[in-house]
Structure formats: C-alpha cells, structure tokens
Amino acid sequence: MKIEKAYTIVTAPGRNFVTLKIVTDEGVYGIGDATLNGREMAVVAYLEEHVIPALIGRDPQRIEDIWHYLYRGAYWRRGPVTMSAIGAVDLALWDIKAKAAGMPLYQLLGGKSRERVMTYAHCTGKDIDACLEEVEAHVKQGYRAVRVQAGVPGIPTIYGVAKKEGERYEPADSDLPAEHVWSTEKYLNHVPKLFAAVRERFGDDLHVLHDVHHRLTPIEAARLGKAVEPYHLFWLEDCVPAENQESFRLIRQHTTTPLAVGEVFNSIHDYRELLENQWIDYIRTPLAHGGGITHMRRVADLAGLYHVRTGFHGPTDLSPVCLGAAIHFDTWVPNFGIQEYMPHETITDEVFPHDYRFEDGHFLVGETPGHGVDIDEAAAAKYPYRRASLPVNRLEDGTLWHW
Ligand SMILES: O=C(O)[C@H](O)[C@@H](O)[C@H](O)[C@H](O)CO
Ligand SMILES: [Mg+2]
C-alpha cells in the first residue's frame, strides 16, 4: 500500500476546522483533525509545505516510522503547530490501518476496557443562579459530571461563560483578539460560593469540575484548591500557566483538590516532571494536538504509572474527527478518567458524519472500521474560512495577563 495523495480541507461550519485527508493507491483513505484554534492556517502551511510532499509514495501502514520521520527527523521539534500537523497525519494513518484491517479503531488498540465513556458538560451562567439552572438541565439529560463557570460580580466578561443565556460560548469570537478584564481578587472571593451552591442543591454524587484558564499564581491556586476542598471537586483545571512545571509542587503541598492540566501541552516532555513527582491527577492533551495516538498512548502509559488518568480536551474547536478518535482511545485506554464534551453545531455534524453516539451522559463507540468519522467535502466547501481569535486578558490597571 502506498500514499498516493494527501490534502487539507479548511471549512467553517459554525467555526473553523482543518482536516487532513490521506488517500492510498488501494482506494482506502484516512482523515485526521489538524485544527489549532485561532492558528488554523499555520498548521495548513506546515502540512502543505513540509509534511505532505514527504508522505507521497510512503507505506501508510508504517505509522511508527512515519511518526519518527516527522518528529525525530525534523530539526525543529515539538510546539503546537508541528505536533498538530503530526497529530493529523497520525490520526489519518490509524484510520487507514483500522479500515484496512476491517476493525473499529478501539479493537486495533487492544479492545474495550469499558462499555461506555463518561463525559462532562459545560454549565455556565451570568451568575450563580443561572449556572445552577444549567446544571439542573444537564442533570435531567443524564450527565454525571458538569463543569461549572459563572459570572463574577465586578468582572464584565468571563471567558468560558456564554454571552447570552441559553447560548454556548465560542472561544474564538472575534477577528482580532477581544480584550477582557481580569481581577484575581474578585474571582477568588466569589468562586467558592458557586461550589457551595452546587453541592447544596445537587448533593454529593454529581461530579463537579472547574476551569481556571491559567489565571492564577501558584500560591493563589493553592488558596483556591484549599478553599474548595469541602466541595470535593472532580478536578480543578489549568489553575496556573504550566510552562514552569515546578509551580505544581507548591500547589500540591497545600491542597488535596485533584488537578488537571495539559490542554495546551503537546509533548510527553511537557508532562514529565508533573507526572514523576505526582503533582497532577489528569492529563488533558487532545490526540490532535499531542502528535496523535502514537504519542498520546505513550503519555497515557507514563501517566498510568503514577495513578494519573486521562481527561481529554473536547471543546467545539476540535473537530468531530478528533472527538471520534478520542472515543475509541477512551474506550480502550486502561487509565481513563473522563472525556470533555461540548456538542458541535448541527451544521458541523453534517459536514463530519460520524457513528459515535451520546446517551445518558456517556459516549458509545461505533463499530465502523476506522475511527468512524468522515468528511463530506461538498458540504465542507459551502463554509469558507474566516479568521477568528481567542481573547486576551488585562488586569484592571491595563497589565496584560495570562491565559
Ligand atoms: O474546554 C476547555 O477546557 C477550554 O479551556 C476551552 O474553552 C479552550 O479555552 C478552548 O478550547 C481554546 O481553544
Ligand atoms: Mg480548559
């Protein structure tokens, strides 16, 4: 079998997505997700100029060798653009291998470790009461786990909270970055009240998660982790920027609140100290940004040594291709924790037909050979790309702040 051609498809059904399609001389093809929110065209350029020409004529079944050719063989290693490009190739190649074998991807990985994949939903509100209503609606739909984010008095816009009630939030919502105002003091004084209210109304069994989006310093994160211990969160996510892995030593010394990190990571080396020192509890890197299945299963295995579980990123800015592949991975991986789920818009689902199903707060993996997600190229062509950016944050005095 040989790779005959490969090309990128950029489409914006609701939001931007980049897809890589690899076609073989035997007619079997595979697709991978190459979407990097707000930096889509950088990955397209990397794939078209540096990756696709080097793939033509290769045997697509040699996934491991192609991965190392693109990673180890490159002078410039790692980074989100490179690793998303490699991730897209890897997902497409696993799709091809599973199709050629006539197996759903989870079978090729080693078979089912569980019957269904627990997901968590996003519940947001302009204030605590509005957020509680969202939780109520999701519990009624069968969710066992919810991420809660509510507006904070005195902060005009909070990332992760929908602009209008009943709407979802879109991370990249303007041509150039919108500017948000951030106040750590107001946030830290308010947010524990949200968890107290959730526990009071919904009791102890519901899994409750929260995302800090990297806004705190280590000692502030320690204070928050400690303050919310009575409400036993499933996890506290991205409480500090994580370039300095050592920050987590300090946080861990102060709190038993479980910590999740990694949606902006792309390499096993980003995790090494965090895992070896047992400073975190969940890894978040999606397959599409972490070099695909070939690399992320190594990260998951390393994590497993330290009782750390997976909790893959699953926002609307990863395409159904990444989500579909993740559901196969989640069905197989021994140390699975939870899968994030922000439902895609109907037009997104129409462009990306898939066989995974959502039922009663869980995903059920499909049985179609491959990862079970396809792209309708004619439908994709109807939605042209438009630049969209994530916001930036400034403190109340104008200082540019962390993501
Ligand atoms: O789902 C999450 O946990 C997130 O933090 C997202 O809202 C990201 O910020 C977004 O996916 C960036 O592209
Ligand atoms: Mg997050």
Side-chain angles (χ1 to χ4, degrees):
M1 199 186 267
K2 277 194 169 38
I3 297 176
E4 205 170 64
K5 63 175 178 180
Y7 54 97
T8 58
I9 303 155
V10 183
T11 178
R15 66 163 346 281
N16 293 321
F17 297 106
V18 180
T19 307
L20 174 71
K21 182 162 179 173
I22 298 181
V23 184
T24 69
D25 60 347
E26 294 183 16
V28 183
Y29 66 86
I31 60 174
D33 184 13
T35 312
L36 186 61
N37 196 12
R39 293 292 182 272
E40 292 86 356
M41 301 314 280
V43 184
V44 171
Y46 193 96
L47 281 167
E48 289 185 350
E49 183 64 16
H50 308 293
V51 174
I52 291 174
L55 291 178
I56 309 303
R58 282 179 199 277
D59 178 354
Q61 295 175 106
R62 295 182 61 175
I63 300 179
E64 198 67 54
D65 183 65
I66 291 176
W67 197 93
H68 286 276
Y69 181 87
L70 296 173
Y71 179 86
R72 195 185 292 194
Y75 189 74
W76 312 106
R77 289 186 188 184
R78 303 166 61 181
V81 174
T82 301
M83 295 302 278
S84 297
I86 297 177
V89 172
D90 192 75
L91 291 180
L93 295 181
W94 278 98
D95 193 24
I96 290 171
K97 194 183 268 300
K99 282 174 177 169
M103 285 182 190
L105 178 59
Y106 76 84
Q107 290 288 15
L108 205 56
L109 291 171
K112 282 190 183 178
S113 296
R114 58 197 53 77
E115 300 307 320
R116 54 187 195 162
V117 169
M118 182 168 72
T119 69
Y120 70 90
H122 285 207
C123 297
T124 81
K126 63 175 187 341
D127 53 26
I128 292 177
D129 284 343
C131 186
L132 295 182
E133 289 311 307
E134 281 267 292
V135 175
E136 173 92 44
H138 283 87
V139 167
K140 281 194 180 134
Q141 285 172 42
Y143 281 96
R144 311 292 200 277
V146 292
R147 180 186 109 161
V148 294
Q149 313 282 137
V152 174
I155 306 184
T157 320
I158 295 269
Y159 181 75
V161 173
K163 281 192 179 145
K164 287 196 199 124
E165 230 157 292
E167 278 187 5
R168 304 173 191 154
Y169 85 96
E170 165 51 55
D173 62 358
S174 54
D175 176 26
L176 290 174
E179 300 213 350
H180 291 179
V181 178
W182 176 252
S183 161
T184 299
E185 296 72 23
K186 288 175 179 145
Y187 169 78
L188 282 180
N189 290 334
H190 185 72
V191 79
K193 296 177 194 159
L194 170 63
F195 305 115
V198 172
R199 283 287 173 234
E200 205 195 348
R201 174 140 158 206
F202 299 96
D204 278 330
D205 289 348
L206 184 66
H207 296 307
V208 178
L209 299 79
H210 182 71
D211 193 345
V212 187
H213 294 109
H214 315 100
R215 302 284 201 272
L216 303 178
T217 65
I219 198 69
E220 290 163 351
R223 170 182 154 192
L224 178 60
K226 222 169 163 174
V228 302
E229 274 170 22
Y231 316 116
H232 50 93
L233 267 56
F234 186 94
W235 79 35
L236 186 66
E237 175 186 342
D238 287 340
C239 51
V240 293
E243 291 100 321
N244 180 2
Q245 299 185 24
E246 186 78 26
S247 302
F248 283 83
R249 179 200 299 278
L250 186 148
I251 303 166
R252 199 61 149 182
Q253 277 167 353
H254 289 283
T255 181
T256 57
T257 295
L259 303 171
V261 74
E263 72 176 46
V264 299
F265 288 0
N266 49 71
S267 158
I268 199 165
H269 298 286
D270 296 326
Y271 281 108
R272 200 153 40 79
E273 289 171 66
L274 294 175
L275 294 173
E276 288 171 358
N277 291 296
Q278 309 192 44
W279 288 335
I280 60 167
D281 303 281
Y282 295 92
I283 55 169
R284 296 267 298 140
T285 312
L287 298 174
H289 297 163
I293 288 165
T294 301
H295 191 57
M296 284 311 296
R297 66 175 178 177
R298 301 214 156 96
V299 181
D301 276 346
L302 179 64
L305 295 181
Y306 303 101
H307 303 273
V308 173
R309 294 185 287 162
T310 63
F312 285 172
H313 197 203
T316 39
D317 49 89
L318 292 161
S319 90
V321 178
C322 182
L323 181 61
I327 293 166
H328 283 269
F329 194 98
D330 296 340
T331 299
W332 153 72
V333 72
N335 48 328
F336 170 75
I338 199 164
Q339 170 67 49
E340 182 179 12
Y341 179 39
M342 272 175 87
H344 287 108
E345 289 187 30
T346 312
I347 45 175
T348 306
D349 285 335
E350 280 164 12
V351 170
F352 296 97
H354 53 257
D355 71 348
Y356 55 79
R357 284 191 299 122
F358 176 77
E359 206 179 274
D360 199 24
H362 295 77
F363 276 120
L364 300 173
V365 76
E367 293 295 328
T368 315
H371 57 46
V373 188
D374 208 342
I375 183 163
D376 177 339
E377 293 181 60
K382 291 193 287 187
Y383 304 102
Y385 166 81
R386 276 179 48 212
R387 185 175 58 201
S389 307
L390 287 151
V392 298
N393 296 283
R394 291 187 187 276
L395 300 183
E396 289 167 304
D397 69 357
T399 308
L400 196 87
W401 200 237
H402 299 294
W403 244 111

